[in-house]
Amino acid sequence: MTSLLEELLSCCSASQKIQLPWLIINSLFAIATQILKYLLKFVTHTSSLTFFFLFIVNLLDSRTVMGDLGWIAYPKNGWEEIGEVDENYAPIHTYQVCKVMEQNQNNWLLTSWISNQGASRIFIELKFTLRDCNSLPGGLGTCKETFNMYYFESDDEDGRNIRENQYIKIDTIAADESFTELDLGDRVMKLNTEVRDVGPLTKKGFYLAFQDVGACIALVSVRVYYKKCPSVVRNLARFPDTITGADSSQLLEVSGVCVNHSVTDEAPKMHCSAEGEWLVPIGKCLCKAGYEEKNNTCQAPSPVSSVKKGKITKNSISLSWQEPDRPNGIILEYEIKYFEKDQETSYTIIKSKETMITADGLKPGSAYVFQIRARTAAGYGGFSRRFEFETSPVSVAASSDQSQIPIIVVSVTVGVILLAVVIGFLLSGRRCGYSKAKQDPEEEKMHFHNGHIKLPGVRTYIDPHTYEDPNQAVHEFAKEIEASCITIERVIGAGEFGEVCSGRLKLQGKREFPVAIKTLKVGYTEKQRRDFLGEASIMGQFDHPNIIHLEGVVTKSKPVMIVTEYMENGSLDTFLKKNDGQFTVIQLVGMLRGIASGMKYLSDMGYVHRDLAARNILINSNLVCKVSDFGLSRVLEDDPEAAYTTRGGKIPIRWTAPEAIAFRKFTSASDVWSYGIVMWEVMSYGERPYWEMTNQDVIKAVEEGYRLPSPMDCPAALYQLMLDCWQKDRNSRPKFDEIVSMLDKLIRNPSSLKTLVNASSRVSNLLVEHSPVGSGAYRSVGEWLEAIKMGRYTEIFMENGYSSMDAVAQVTLEDLRRLGVTLVGHQKKIMNSLQEMKVQLVNGMVPL
Ligand code: AMP
């Protein structure tokens, strides 16, 4: 390359080059060929960086085809393949054409048949160079700077010989950058990349064709690909590789399949976007009893299958067994459960690292049932089937000797007590784990009882107040964690009772994972301790992907702590304010769907939240929203938004239904009202409901039938749902299950979200039957705009006839755009300020 260019450029100065057009044109192919060698290096290098995305599947990449591409060019003197190899002797599949001096060019280059592998939308990426016509000597009238790309669908290779006019045009391709011979001199490589997409495709494959009509082009590479959402495991459900939809705005709903050893909790679903991203995860699977979640699997050892009896005496049975067929990891220990036949409710558990034990202290001549399970780092496997063995009978001599009976009774009793003490000692070792081990028959019974009430439809929320001893409630619903298992890392917030920290929890046999830790500050009163732990007693009763999950409590050492799952993005209101305007409507609806699903669960459990607000929703790094803040003192002492009502209770007025404010009628229907306010907060990215109106004004306006106006750019269907949630008659409000279904429908059919609330009606709604803005606090348009730091627009407003506050009151979003206020942030500021003024003046909002 260097030598050729040098040869060409050294022969002449720039002016000489103009006088030597033919030399340049004749040398063009040769130059291009050399340039391509350079480009190829560049392209090959970048390809490994740029194209190794999992969600892109190549159907053709001309750079990687080693043999003949099999493309056809006609007429024969049109497109030409450059018969070059790169430094590794791999062929360079590059085509060029440069018939800029001849009239009526029509040069076609047809690819071979490309299977679409089931994709209905495919992408074509072209890399090419194009010569700038102006730089060609003599101002060549015939020279073009574009070429055309076509396709033809066919199920097999038969379509190859079709006529030109049967091809469907994809686009005319122009270069962003064309090159001149000066660029050649400077050795500047102007490689263009253009991508076009085609769909929906209905056949099995297609041909591409490139038509040149008189340009000077080198087609360096052609890559054809489709996008897919790659197979993932989310919430213990596996979602298959999914080819994106045919439409560029289509979201495909995909059902997940629970991973091995897990079962459906709520049917898991996700949505595959046209860009190949997974969006809006819904539902989840749970590991089956005996399995634990680890790295998105429930991999636990298979059950012990063969158990053999060893030595049997009248008071003991020795057993041995073999390792499970599929240990699926290193077996850490075995758990042996045994009980006297037909006495299952009272059983004993022994843990052993060996594959044998001796159970002693048994009754003579009695049948015992044994079950064994193994534990690996992934948790416990299932129990083996039941094995039944009998102790030896008491010898006749002994049994006839009545005098021995008290001794036997005493020794059996002592044996049992000793055994219990030993087991207790073994299991109470200061290991990181829940100190409620399963050795206590009462607990296992309790567990069973809990398991029973966990059945859908049967389980209801139990108010911890109903327990005489609140400590009992905590220990019933929350696991005790050893403080030594917790590492506190940093303070992330302030709760009513003390600091909220982030940190890590390492339980025995489990991976360390991040947690949030609420602490009870020192010097607490007994009531504060009770109220603090009350939240854990409530939270511990819930198990749902959209409810904050309780890991456990620390009550046996100080500070007293509540440990929950960690939500990376903190509280939803702050998160939305920080990321104003950053999410797609679908993402926002996904958040709302999660909250509604959590609330459905709570209402099914018979739990009324009473303080549902964006500040009490937490959001994690996957944008999954979870309902939190289950204070026991439901007078909402800890909510800074809560204000005392005339009846004495503290209520977050702006979020609360009128009947709850007026006569404390808190129900799931009043939670639905609050949910409507949360919808409004989400769609307006954390705006304060009713802005700076006073609580008294809010109560009055709502009572008079006014409602919040639609947030900006809000889909009409969502605003309608908000208004439904704010029905005065609480029985007319939708139920949470209806809200979930409605949001699901919208997610499945995103085009239903395209109709936005009409911007002008949004504003004029506020003004009905009320006095004009002109009588407000601002004396002039300039003063108002200055006050909201939008003074730069004063002149534009005045020039366009908005010279009084009365006139300003009529401004709509369209007007703003017309006036040249194009920045969305500025539009929002102005419209929100107008709304605020109007709302304050009319002392009300959108009349229903
Ligand atoms: P709370 O006392 O529950 O209102 O918590 C106070 C603040 O701590 C919240 O507003 C959050 O910013 C933060 N926080 C509470 N719980 C968590 C959690 N599980 N994950 C992350 N941040 C949390």
Side-chain angles (χ1 to χ4, degrees):
M1 158 103 186
T2 316
S3 58
L4 189 75
L5 266 180
E6 273 165 6
E7 195 182 300
L8 183 69
L9 298 171
S10 63
C11 75
C12 39
S13 67
S15 58
Q16 282 173 313
K17 275 180 244 160
I18 302 295
Q19 290 151 23
L20 293 169
W22 284 110
L23 170 63
I24 293 168
I25 292 173
N26 287 339
S27 307
L28 204 70
F29 278 2
I31 293 169
T33 306
Q34 298 300 325
I35 287 176
L36 290 172
K37 277 194 170 181
Y38 273 85
L39 291 178
L40 195 86
K41 266 192 195 168
F42 166 75
V43 171
T44 315
H45 175 68
T46 53
S47 66
S48 59
L49 301 174
T50 321
F51 304 128
F52 196 64
F53 292 126
L54 277 175
F55 52 80
I56 284 178
V57 181
N58 281 347
L59 296 170
L60 165 76
D61 187 345
S62 63
R63 292 166 316 206
T64 57
V65 176
M66 289 307 287
D68 182 17
L69 264 182
W71 293 7
I72 296 173
Y74 68 84
K76 289 268 179 270
N77 61 351
W79 290 91
E80 261 196 324
E81 182 168 11
I82 298 177
E84 292 280 335
V85 288
D86 67 11
E87 62 269 31
N88 298 322
Y89 299 100
I92 303 172
H93 290 297
T94 293
Y95 287 84
Q96 61 184 22
V97 61
C98 196
K99 302 276 176 190
V100 288
M101 302 296 287
E102 294 155 53
Q103 300 278 354
N104 300 328
Q105 290 302 304
N106 185 20
N107 304 306
W108 285 72
L109 175 65
L110 308 183
T111 68
S112 44
W113 186 75
I114 304 165
S115 160
N116 59 34
Q117 294 179 14
S120 48
R121 169 158 298 268
I122 53 111
F123 297 78
I124 304 132
E125 180 203 74
L126 306 177
K127 287 188 185 286
F128 60 96
T129 59
L130 204 119
R131 177 75 192 240
D132 180 351
C133 286
N134 287 330
S135 73
L136 286 168
L140 297 163
T142 53
C143 172
K144 303 286 185 309
E145 290 186 352
T146 60
F147 62 102
N148 301 316
M149 177 159 65
Y150 296 81
Y151 76 109
F152 175 78
E153 277 196 84
S154 82
D155 279 325
D156 46 42
E157 313 235 352
D158 289 351
R160 183 112 206 203
N161 300 320
I162 60 143
R163 289 191 305 279
E164 286 167 17
N165 62 7
Q166 286 177 278
Y167 276 90
I168 299 168
K169 184 159 172 180
I170 298 173
D171 207 355
T172 298
I173 311 291
D176 289 334
E177 302 232 46
S178 46
F179 70 86
T180 66
E181 82 267 28
L182 291 178
D183 296 323
L184 296 181
D186 295 341
R187 296 168 199 186
V188 181
M189 310 307 172
K190 290 184 172 174
L191 184 69
N192 295 277
T193 303
E194 293 288 327
V195 179
R196 298 291 183 273
D197 58 329
V198 181
L201 298 179
T202 53
K203 300 205 170 162
K204 289 185 186 156
F206 54 92
Y207 293 92
L208 290 177
F210 304 97
Q211 181 198 26
D212 162 59
V213 286
C216 195
I217 318 156
L219 197 50
V220 177
S221 75
V222 177
R223 192 168 68 100
V224 184
Y225 58 90
Y226 66 87
K227 293 184 182 176
K228 67 172 185 180
C229 293
S231 164
V232 283
V233 176
R234 185 76 65 83
N235 294 338
L236 288 181
R238 181 175 303 286
F239 294 87
D241 262 357
T242 304
I243 297 177
T244 58
D247 188 323
S248 57
S249 67
Q250 196 175 356
L251 284 184
L252 296 181
E253 185 182 278
V254 181
S255 295
V257 176
C258 290
V259 298
N260 284 347
H261 310 301
S262 70
V263 285
T264 307
D265 181 42
E266 189 192 344
K269 286 182 218 152
M270 274 217 282
H271 298 81
C272 176
S273 80
E275 283 310 305
E277 306 159 286
W278 288 110
L279 297 174
V280 199
I282 292 172
K284 66 167 185 182
C285 303
L286 295 174
C287 289
K288 284 184 192 161
Y291 292 84
E292 284 187 40
E293 181 176 346
K294 191 187 178 198
N295 298 336
N296 260 323
T297 58
C298 303
Q299 262 207 319
S302 62
V304 169
S305 54
S306 98
V307 176
K308 284 198 190 122
K309 67 177 181 214
K311 189 172 170 218
I312 292 192
T313 70
K314 59 184 188 302
N315 299 119
S316 67
I317 297 173
S318 296
L319 301 177
S320 64
W321 59 89
Q322 287 191 340
E323 205 180 66
D325 303 341
R326 282 169 288 111
N328 294 335
I330 297 166
I331 306 255
L332 301 173
E333 67 181 0
Y334 293 92
E335 189 178 84
I336 304 95
K337 175 181 172 183
Y338 66 91
F339 51 88
E340 195 181 339
K341 193 176 173 190
D342 302 327
Q343 304 282 316
E344 188 167 355
T345 49
S346 177
Y347 59 83
T348 304
I349 282 183
I350 302 181
K351 298 199 183 200
S352 167
K353 292 199 181 343
E354 310 298 329
T355 52
M356 58 168 100
I357 53 130
T358 300
D360 42 22
L362 310 181
K363 283 190 203 164
S366 305
Y368 281 85
V369 175
F370 291 83
Q371 282 186 286
I372 301 172
R373 62 178 180 171
R375 183 170 69 80
T376 65
Y380 282 109
F383 268 116
S384 64
R385 69 174 177 83
R386 293 169 173 219
F387 291 88
E388 200 178 305
F389 304 109
E390 214 168 302
T391 48
S392 316
V394 185
S395 66
V396 178
S399 63
S400 63
D401 186 353
Q402 295 297 313
S403 66
Q404 295 290 312
I405 290 175
I407 298 170
I408 292 169
V409 170
V410 168
S411 32
V412 166
T413 312
V414 168
V416 168
I417 292 170
L418 270 179
L419 181 68
V421 168
V422 168
I423 293 168
F425 176 77
L426 277 175
L427 298 176
S428 67
R430 289 183 65 80
R431 276 177 280 140
C432 277
Y434 299 121
S435 63
K436 269 174 78 169
K438 298 276 190 250
Q439 77 276 19
D440 182 350
E442 270 311 304
E443 278 180 12
E444 197 64 19
K445 254 194 286 175
M446 191 62 224
H447 181 69
F448 172 75
H449 170 68
N450 278 347
H452 178 71
I453 58 173
K454 260 186 184 174
L455 288 174
V458 180
R459 189 162 180 208
T460 50
Y461 159 74
I462 301 165
D463 185 347
H465 280 120
T466 58
Y467 283 77
E468 241 171 74
D469 174 8
N471 279 318
Q472 194 198 335
V474 180
H475 288 111
E476 188 137 320
F477 299 121
K479 293 166 189 165
E480 179 74 26
I481 298 176
E482 290 276 347
S484 58
C485 308
I486 300 167
T487 314
I488 293 185
E489 283 169 352
R490 62 190 176 92
V491 177
I492 52 170
E496 188 208 351
F497 298 97
E499 283 166 344
V500 182
C501 305
S502 63
R504 307 188 72 77
L505 178 63
K506 172 75 185 83
L507 293 171
Q508 200 200 15
K510 277 196 169 186
R511 233 175 353 132
E512 191 177 54
F513 58 96
V515 285
I517 305 138
K518 283 189 179 184
T519 55
L520 178 60
K521 59 190 164 218
V522 288
Y524 54 82
T525 62
E526 192 43 42
K527 181 178 179 310
Q528 281 173 324
R529 181 181 193 274
R530 206 173 46 229
D531 287 353
F532 176 72
L533 290 174
E535 179 168 22
S537 309
I538 298 172
M539 220 190 287
Q541 297 184 45
F542 304 140
D543 178 19
H544 187 274
N546 298 105
I547 304 289
I548 194 80
H549 174 71
L550 177 72
E551 293 298 339
V553 289
V554 178
T555 63
K556 301 211 165 120
S557 59
K558 287 184 184 168
V560 173
M561 298 185 237
I562 297 178
V563 182
T564 65
E565 68 180 302
Y566 180 59
M567 301 290 285
E568 296 84 350
N569 283 318
S571 55
L572 181 61
D573 63 333
T574 315
F575 176 70
L576 287 173
K577 280 179 210 157
K578 254 195 258 161
N579 296 284
D580 194 355
Q582 301 295 307
F583 300 111
T584 61
V585 171
I586 284 290
Q587 283 174 311
L588 296 176
V589 177
M591 295 176 200
L592 291 173
R593 198 271 176 201
I595 302 166
S597 176
M599 289 308 298
K600 172 188 171 319
Y601 174 83
L602 292 183
S603 68
D604 287 349
M605 290 272 290
Y607 179 81
V608 178
H609 191 288
R610 299 183 181 212
D611 196 8
L612 179 58
R615 66 183 166 281
N616 290 329
I617 303 292
L618 293 167
I619 179 160
N620 69 15
S621 54
N622 289 328
L623 301 189
V624 175
C625 287
K626 308 204 180 198
V627 180
S628 81
D629 208 67
F630 303 99
L632 189 60
S633 51
R634 290 281 73 184
V635 282
L636 311 155
E637 299 295 350
D638 59 328
D639 189 339
E641 281 292 351
Y644 285 99
T645 63
T646 45
R647 291 169 61 103
K650 239 180 145 191
I651 287 175
I653 301 292
R654 285 153 212 274
W655 282 264
T656 306
E659 75 277 5
I661 297 175
F663 47 94
R664 306 190 134 268
K665 185 76 193 160
F666 284 98
T667 57
S668 288
S670 62
D671 277 351
V672 166
W673 178 291
S674 312
Y675 177 80
I677 304 288
V678 172
M679 287 184 75
W680 190 90
E681 290 184 276
V682 169
M683 297 314 294
S684 55
Y685 283 93
E687 186 74 77
R688 181 169 164 72
Y690 311 95
W691 306 280
E692 296 314 316
M693 283 173 71
T694 64
N695 279 341
Q696 275 318 308
D697 284 348
V698 171
I699 294 174
K700 194 158 169 262
V702 170
E703 269 305 314
E704 285 174 7
Y706 289 94
R707 297 292 182 265
L708 281 166
S710 162
M712 243 177 54
D713 296 333
C714 180
L718 290 180
Y719 183 53
Q720 186 54 50
L721 186 54
M722 292 179 210
L723 292 175
D724 291 345
C725 293
W726 301 328
Q727 292 278 348
K728 187 176 173 58
D729 171 15
R730 65 175 183 277
N731 297 315
S732 307
R733 294 172 204 157
K735 308 283 178 290
F736 278 115
D737 59 342
E738 292 165 342
I739 296 177
V740 172
S741 320
M742 190 169 302
L743 294 176
D744 278 346
K745 254 193 220 157
L746 295 177
I747 291 169
R748 270 199 299 273
N749 182 14
S751 58
S752 59
L753 292 164
K754 283 192 178 142
T755 314
L756 304 183
V757 175
N758 180 304
S760 53
S761 70
R762 230 184 110 247
V763 177
S764 60
N765 265 347
L766 295 167
L767 301 174
V768 180
E769 74 194 50
H770 295 282
S771 52
V773 167
S775 55
Y778 299 108
R779 277 161 308 179
S780 70
V781 176
E783 188 183 310
W784 164 59
L785 286 170
E786 285 298 338
I788 59 167
K789 300 200 169 55
M790 293 286 109
R792 74 191 73 180
Y793 297 117
T794 306
E795 228 173 274
I796 299 178
F797 269 68
M798 304 302 270
E799 280 168 7
N800 285 278
Y802 297 105
S803 52
S804 71
M805 291 304 283
D806 279 354
V808 163
Q810 312 304 322
V811 166
T812 64
L813 191 60
E814 276 88 66
D815 294 335
L816 281 189
R817 290 190 184 127
R818 196 169 37 77
L819 292 178
V821 183
T822 48
L823 295 176
V824 175
H826 290 183
Q827 292 170 357
K828 267 194 175 175
K829 229 177 187 169
I830 294 171
M831 294 312 292
N832 287 343
S833 166
L834 268 177
Q835 275 173 7
E836 234 174 87
M837 284 191 291
K838 289 164 191 170
V839 169
Q840 280 166 6
L841 274 171
V842 300
N843 201 12
M845 285 132 288
V846 184
L848 276 182

